[in-house]
PDB file of all heavy atoms in Angstrom:
ATOM      1  N   GLU X 736     165.280  49.301  85.209  1.00  0.00           N
ATOM      2  CA  GLU X 736     164.594  49.776  86.413  1.00  0.00           C
ATOM      3  C   GLU X 736     164.244  51.268  86.362  1.00  0.00           C
ATOM      4  O   GLU X 736     163.448  51.752  87.170  1.00  0.00           O
ATOM      5  CB  GLU X 736     165.442  49.486  87.655  1.00  0.00           C
ATOM      6  CG  GLU X 736     166.806  50.157  87.663  1.00  0.00           C
ATOM      7  CD  GLU X 736     167.903  49.281  87.079  1.00  0.00           C
ATOM      8  OE1 GLU X 736     167.575  48.373  86.283  1.00  0.00           O
ATOM      9  OE2 GLU X 736     169.078  49.514  87.434  1.00  0.00           O
ATOM     10  N   VAL X 737     164.824  51.991  85.420  1.00  0.00           N
ATOM     11  CA  VAL X 737     164.521  53.419  85.274  1.00  0.00           C
ATOM     12  C   VAL X 737     163.187  53.635  84.564  1.00  0.00           C
ATOM     13  O   VAL X 737     162.499  54.633  84.778  1.00  0.00           O
ATOM     14  CB  VAL X 737     165.665  54.121  84.501  1.00  0.00           C
ATOM     15  CG1 VAL X 737     165.287  55.547  84.113  1.00  0.00           C
ATOM     16  CG2 VAL X 737     166.939  54.120  85.330  1.00  0.00           C
ATOM     17  N   LEU X 738     162.793  52.702  83.721  1.00  0.00           N
ATOM     18  CA  LEU X 738     161.617  52.883  82.881  1.00  0.00           C
ATOM     19  C   LEU X 738     160.331  52.827  83.706  1.00  0.00           C
ATOM     20  O   LEU X 738     160.143  51.942  84.546  1.00  0.00           O
ATOM     21  CB  LEU X 738     161.580  51.810  81.797  1.00  0.00           C
ATOM     22  CG  LEU X 738     162.837  51.726  80.914  1.00  0.00           C
ATOM     23  CD1 LEU X 738     162.662  50.671  79.841  1.00  0.00           C
ATOM     24  CD2 LEU X 738     163.156  53.085  80.300  1.00  0.00           C
ATOM     25  N   LEU X 739     159.432  53.766  83.455  1.00  0.00           N
ATOM     26  CA  LEU X 739     158.175  53.878  84.185  1.00  0.00           C
ATOM     27  C   LEU X 739     157.027  53.772  83.172  1.00  0.00           C
ATOM     28  O   LEU X 739     156.684  54.756  82.501  1.00  0.00           O
ATOM     29  CB  LEU X 739     158.136  55.216  84.918  1.00  0.00           C
ATOM     30  CG  LEU X 739     157.194  55.347  86.120  1.00  0.00           C
ATOM     31  CD1 LEU X 739     157.541  54.315  87.192  1.00  0.00           C
ATOM     32  CD2 LEU X 739     157.277  56.746  86.704  1.00  0.00           C
ATOM     33  N   PRO X 740     156.409  52.602  83.013  1.00  0.00           N
ATOM     34  CA  PRO X 740     155.388  52.399  81.971  1.00  0.00           C
ATOM     35  C   PRO X 740     154.010  52.875  82.399  1.00  0.00           C
ATOM     36  O   PRO X 740     153.093  52.073  82.642  1.00  0.00           O
ATOM     37  CB  PRO X 740     155.430  50.884  81.768  1.00  0.00           C
ATOM     38  CG  PRO X 740     155.830  50.323  83.099  1.00  0.00           C
ATOM     39  CD  PRO X 740     156.746  51.340  83.713  1.00  0.00           C
ATOM     40  N   VAL X 741     153.825  54.189  82.487  1.00  0.00           N
ATOM     41  CA  VAL X 741     152.545  54.752  82.927  1.00  0.00           C
ATOM     42  C   VAL X 741     151.889  55.612  81.853  1.00  0.00           C
ATOM     43  O   VAL X 741     150.767  56.092  82.050  1.00  0.00           O
ATOM     44  CB  VAL X 741     152.721  55.599  84.208  1.00  0.00           C
ATOM     45  CG1 VAL X 741     153.241  54.739  85.351  1.00  0.00           C
ATOM     46  CG2 VAL X 741     153.645  56.782  83.967  1.00  0.00           C
ATOM     47  N   GLY X 742     152.553  55.835  80.711  1.00  0.00           N
ATOM     48  CA  GLY X 742     152.019  56.747  79.714  1.00  0.00           C
ATOM     49  C   GLY X 742     152.458  58.174  79.979  1.00  0.00           C
ATOM     50  O   GLY X 742     153.225  58.443  80.917  1.00  0.00           O
ATOM     51  N   TYR X 743     151.961  59.091  79.144  1.00  0.00           N
ATOM     52  CA  TYR X 743     152.317  60.505  79.267  1.00  0.00           C
ATOM     53  C   TYR X 743     151.221  61.269  79.998  1.00  0.00           C
ATOM     54  O   TYR X 743     150.058  61.267  79.550  1.00  0.00           O
ATOM     55  CB  TYR X 743     152.520  61.134  77.890  1.00  0.00           C
ATOM     56  CG  TYR X 743     153.836  60.796  77.224  1.00  0.00           C
ATOM     57  CD1 TYR X 743     154.082  61.181  75.906  1.00  0.00           C
ATOM     58  CD2 TYR X 743     154.836  60.115  77.905  1.00  0.00           C
ATOM     59  CE1 TYR X 743     155.285  60.887  75.298  1.00  0.00           C
ATOM     60  CE2 TYR X 743     156.040  59.817  77.308  1.00  0.00           C
ATOM     61  CZ  TYR X 743     156.264  60.200  75.986  1.00  0.00           C
ATOM     62  OH  TYR X 743     157.458  59.901  75.394  1.00  0.00           O
ATOM     63  N   PRO X 744     151.536  61.974  81.080  1.00  0.00           N
ATOM     64  CA  PRO X 744     150.523  62.776  81.766  1.00  0.00           C
ATOM     65  C   PRO X 744     149.830  63.780  80.846  1.00  0.00           C
ATOM     66  O   PRO X 744     148.641  64.061  81.027  1.00  0.00           O
ATOM     67  CB  PRO X 744     151.326  63.483  82.863  1.00  0.00           C
ATOM     68  CG  PRO X 744     152.442  62.523  83.161  1.00  0.00           C
ATOM     69  CD  PRO X 744     152.808  61.937  81.826  1.00  0.00           C
ATOM     70  N   ARG X 745     150.549  64.322  79.862  1.00  0.00           N
ATOM     71  CA  ARG X 745     149.937  65.303  78.962  1.00  0.00           C
ATOM     72  C   ARG X 745     148.774  64.694  78.175  1.00  0.00           C
ATOM     73  O   ARG X 745     147.910  65.416  77.675  1.00  0.00           O
ATOM     74  CB  ARG X 745     150.972  65.866  77.999  1.00  0.00           C
ATOM     75  CG  ARG X 745     151.401  64.896  76.908  1.00  0.00           C
ATOM     76  CD  ARG X 745     152.467  65.475  76.030  1.00  0.00           C
ATOM     77  NE  ARG X 745     152.779  64.625  74.897  1.00  0.00           N
ATOM     78  CZ  ARG X 745     153.822  64.770  74.103  1.00  0.00           C
ATOM     79  NH1 ARG X 745     154.681  65.746  74.336  1.00  0.00           N
ATOM     80  NH2 ARG X 745     154.021  63.963  73.088  1.00  0.00           N
ATOM     81  N   ASN X 746     148.772  63.351  78.021  1.00  0.00           N
ATOM     82  CA  ASN X 746     147.742  62.698  77.222  1.00  0.00           C
ATOM     83  C   ASN X 746     146.531  62.263  78.019  1.00  0.00           C
ATOM     84  O   ASN X 746     145.563  61.757  77.437  1.00  0.00           O
ATOM     85  CB  ASN X 746     148.339  61.489  76.498  1.00  0.00           C
ATOM     86  CG  ASN X 746     149.271  61.897  75.379  1.00  0.00           C
ATOM     87  OD1 ASN X 746     149.186  63.000  74.860  1.00  0.00           O
ATOM     88  ND2 ASN X 746     150.180  61.003  75.011  1.00  0.00           N
ATOM     89  N   ASP X 747     146.576  62.463  79.326  1.00  0.00           N
ATOM     90  CA  ASP X 747     145.399  62.113  80.137  1.00  0.00           C
ATOM     91  C   ASP X 747     144.163  62.846  79.627  1.00  0.00           C
ATOM     92  O   ASP X 747     143.072  62.273  79.554  1.00  0.00           O
ATOM     93  CB  ASP X 747     145.640  62.471  81.608  1.00  0.00           C
ATOM     94  CG  ASP X 747     146.694  61.585  82.266  1.00  0.00           C
ATOM     95  OD1 ASP X 747     147.069  60.563  81.655  1.00  0.00           O
ATOM     96  OD2 ASP X 747     147.155  61.931  83.373  1.00  0.00           O
ATOM     97  N   GLU X 748     144.320  64.093  79.293  1.00  0.00           N
ATOM     98  CA  GLU X 748     143.200  64.897  78.808  1.00  0.00           C
ATOM     99  C   GLU X 748     142.647  64.340  77.493  1.00  0.00           C
ATOM    100  O   GLU X 748     141.429  64.326  77.266  1.00  0.00           O
ATOM    101  CB  GLU X 748     143.633  66.351  78.615  1.00  0.00           C
ATOM    102  CG  GLU X 748     142.526  67.269  78.127  1.00  0.00           C
ATOM    103  CD  GLU X 748     143.013  68.691  77.900  1.00  0.00           C
ATOM    104  OE1 GLU X 748     144.054  69.062  78.475  1.00  0.00           O
ATOM    105  OE2 GLU X 748     142.353  69.427  77.140  1.00  0.00           O
ATOM    106  N   LEU X 749     143.528  63.872  76.616  1.00  0.00           N
ATOM    107  CA  LEU X 749     143.077  63.332  75.334  1.00  0.00           C
ATOM    108  C   LEU X 749     142.311  62.022  75.523  1.00  0.00           C
ATOM    109  O   LEU X 749     141.293  61.783  74.857  1.00  0.00           O
ATOM    110  CB  LEU X 749     144.271  63.115  74.411  1.00  0.00           C
ATOM    111  CG  LEU X 749     145.079  64.354  74.050  1.00  0.00           C
ATOM    112  CD1 LEU X 749     146.247  63.984  73.141  1.00  0.00           C
ATOM    113  CD2 LEU X 749     144.196  65.404  73.381  1.00  0.00           C
TER     114      LEU X 749
END
Side-chain angles (χ1 to χ4, degrees):
E736 61 268 23
V737 170
L738 304 182
L739 202 59
V741 298
Y743 283 173
R745 73 183 187 192
N746 289 337
D747 291 348
E748 181 182 339
L749 299 179

